[in-house]
Amino acid sequence: MNTAVTIYRLVEPYQYEKEIKKSVFIAHAVPVLSEEQAHEWLKKLSIPEATHNCWAYRIGQKYRSDDDGEPSGTAGRPILQVIEKQNFDQLLILVIRWFGGIKLGAGGLIRAYSGTAAECLRQAPRTEYIPQKTASILCSFSDYALLKARMAEYDAQIINEEFGAEVEIEITVPEDAYTALYDRVLDLTRGQAVIVECQ
């Protein structure tokens, strides 16, 4: 019995707005590939004049959240729990709050932040996340066209090519297809090509 959990990624940035007891909550969900990218988006989307800019992200095994002045554990952590519960990876959610004059209390804040983040994700366009490996293939010009023609068989995407004395092809390939592609590259080039996994 296969009990593997489907992990999702966001297709594109998405925004959702909700008013709760006169406070306005605006959720931004953004796909991110690195912590640096998450912080760039936070700089771009945060509104310093707003009452609070609370956020959380998950990128593989990296998790972070911030309550931005709300009582500890009432904003960032509930947003992170929404990301985990809906099985998203490589995702940042920022929830901006404009205070409307009515205090919500700790339970109310948790419901407001998690509810806004959850509804934003429910509506956002998603796709199944397939873990990828990045690799570099060094081959001769005579093998280049043949190798390039076979990439699609393994759902490999060419992300960069450099032509010098030899050709260097940088690719991404689904993790579960990497070993088969590796063997195929060596087979097609009679062991002449070099394929190295990038970190």
Side-chain angles (χ1 to χ4, degrees):
M1 189 172 108
N2 185 3
T3 55
V5 174
T6 302
I7 304 292
Y8 296 100
R9 275 202 78 217
L10 216 56
V11 174
E12 60 192 13
Y14 192 80
Q15 182 180 326
Y16 171 77
E17 187 174 319
K18 186 176 187 179
E19 187 176 314
I20 301 165
K21 292 188 179 174
K22 298 192 176 175
S23 279
V24 175
F25 292 83
I26 303 168
H28 291 275
V30 184
V32 288
L33 296 172
S34 66
E35 290 186 286
E36 295 74 34
Q37 204 176 38
H39 289 288
E40 281 168 25
W41 274 104
L42 283 170
K43 269 190 219 147
K44 193 170 164 183
L45 295 172
S46 293
I47 302 173
E49 305 79 55
T51 320
H52 302 282
N53 289 273
C54 305
W55 54 267
Y57 64 70
R58 173 186 176 187
I59 303 161
Q61 297 306 307
K62 294 175 181 149
Y63 302 80
R64 280 203 52 203
S65 62
D66 190 339
D67 294 315
D68 190 37
E70 291 283 29
S72 181
T74 61
R77 184 75 201 143
I79 296 168
L80 184 56
Q81 285 170 339
V82 165
I83 295 172
E84 291 167 349
K85 204 179 267 182
Q86 293 200 31
N87 297 322
F88 271 85
D89 196 359
Q90 299 185 335
L91 177 70
L92 161 73
I93 297 182
L94 165 68
V95 180
I96 300 165
R97 180 188 183 193
W98 298 88
F99 182 55
I102 299 172
K103 292 193 172 179
L104 302 180
L109 287 172
I110 291 168
R111 284 190 298 277
Y113 280 102
S114 64
T116 306
E119 193 52 41
C120 181
L121 279 189
R122 272 195 284 275
Q123 293 183 18
R126 65 176 68 190
T127 184
E128 189 176 333
Y129 171 65
I130 298 165
Q132 302 281 317
K133 280 188 190 253
T134 304
S136 180
I137 302 169
L138 199 62
C139 67
S140 66
F141 279 97
S142 56
D143 290 326
Y144 165 70
L146 179 62
L147 287 180
K148 190 172 177 176
R150 296 298 168 89
M151 291 296 145
E153 292 172 24
Y154 301 91
D155 289 327
Q157 303 287 318
I158 294 171
I159 49 179
N160 192 29
E161 295 174 318
E162 286 185 21
F163 300 89
E166 294 182 292
V167 183
E168 186 175 352
I169 312 167
E170 195 177 344
I171 60 162
T172 59
V173 60
E175 269 181 17
D176 58 3
Y178 178 76
T179 304
L181 174 69
Y182 182 95
D183 292 342
R184 190 79 168 128
V185 166
L186 293 182
D187 184 44
L188 287 170
T189 64
R190 299 151 315 284
Q192 298 302 303
V194 177
I195 178 166
V196 181
E197 196 179 323
C198 303
Q199 294 304 319

